Amino acid sequence: MSSFKTLYLEKAGTAVFAPNAYNDDPRFRSIVREWKERVSSDVALLGVPFDHGVMLSGGRAGAAKAPDAIRAELRRYGTAYNPERNAALCRLSVVECGNIRVVRAQSRATHDRVSAAVRQILKSSEAVIVFGGGHDVTYATVRGLSQSAGRPVCGMNIDAHFDV
């Protein structure tokens, strides 16, 4: 019997995690761990490399590359501690879920997978950050959030266009 993880998720092309050379200077990349079902975490990272909806509406392809591009930047992100605000990201449990196994050129099937993944991940994580894909991925993400029993629904859509 296949697990949820093998059916719906695949390893990201770019890893966020990298060991830290200095224990007294934690970096964001050194606190990210692989997601395991039923192991609690504060934040889960999930990529959706899908831009079929963008192309259907006449937009430019490329949003499917966003999850790995964002992970590459997160890997470069600096310290996990801000002394001015006494904010320590290293106090968070951050997990990497990988990418949704998208169904090429099939928005509905991919959206169903995104919604199912969000619901499953929220069983063990307080929050899920979904990145990549076109605007249509927001629908699937919010649907998964709204179907997670007993949880408030809130979200944020960050877009790379100049109109934001």
Side-chain angles (χ1 to χ4, degrees):
M1 184 172 156
S2 296
S3 74
F4 172 85
K5 193 171 181 179
T6 37
L7 287 174
Y8 287 87
L9 302 175
E10 61 189 12
K11 190 174 182 175
T14 301
V16 175
F17 176 79
N20 194 16
Y22 308 101
N23 289 334
D24 60 339
D25 186 18
R27 301 294 167 151
F28 181 75
R29 66 181 174 258
S30 66
I31 66 171
V32 178
R33 300 288 180 252
E34 181 181 349
W35 178 67
K36 294 182 173 127
E37 292 182 70
R38 294 177 292 282
V39 175
S40 65
S41 63
D42 296 313
V43 179
L45 308 176
L46 175 66
V48 185
F50 189 69
D51 56 11
H52 180 67
V54 173
M55 292 184 290
L56 284 176
S57 63
R60 291 178 293 176
K65 296 177 182 176
D68 284 339
I70 292 168
R71 285 183 179 99
E73 293 306 311
L74 285 174
R75 187 180 176 108
R76 295 179 53 213
Y77 190 74
T79 185
Y81 178 71
N82 180 328
E84 293 172 3
R85 298 190 186 269
N86 192 27
L89 292 177
C90 55
R91 293 182 189 138
L92 291 175
S93 170
V94 181
V95 294
E96 169 62 75
C97 298
N99 288 335
I100 291 291
R101 284 187 195 280
V102 300
V103 183
R104 299 285 173 219
Q106 292 188 29
S107 295
R108 180 174 290 181
T110 298
H111 290 174
D112 289 346
R113 288 180 177 201
V114 171
S115 297
V118 167
R119 283 192 313 271
Q120 186 69 23
I121 291 164
L122 286 174
K123 289 179 181 179
S124 60
S125 293
E126 291 298 314
V128 61
I129 298 174
V130 179
F131 35 74
H135 291 275
D136 57 304
V137 171
T138 303
Y139 163 77
T141 302
V142 171
R143 183 175 63 178
L145 283 167
S146 69
Q147 293 170 342
S148 296
R151 298 182 70 95
V153 175
C154 71
M156 179 185 338
N157 184 28
I158 300 173
D159 194 317
H161 299 284
F162 292 122
D163 61 345
V164 173

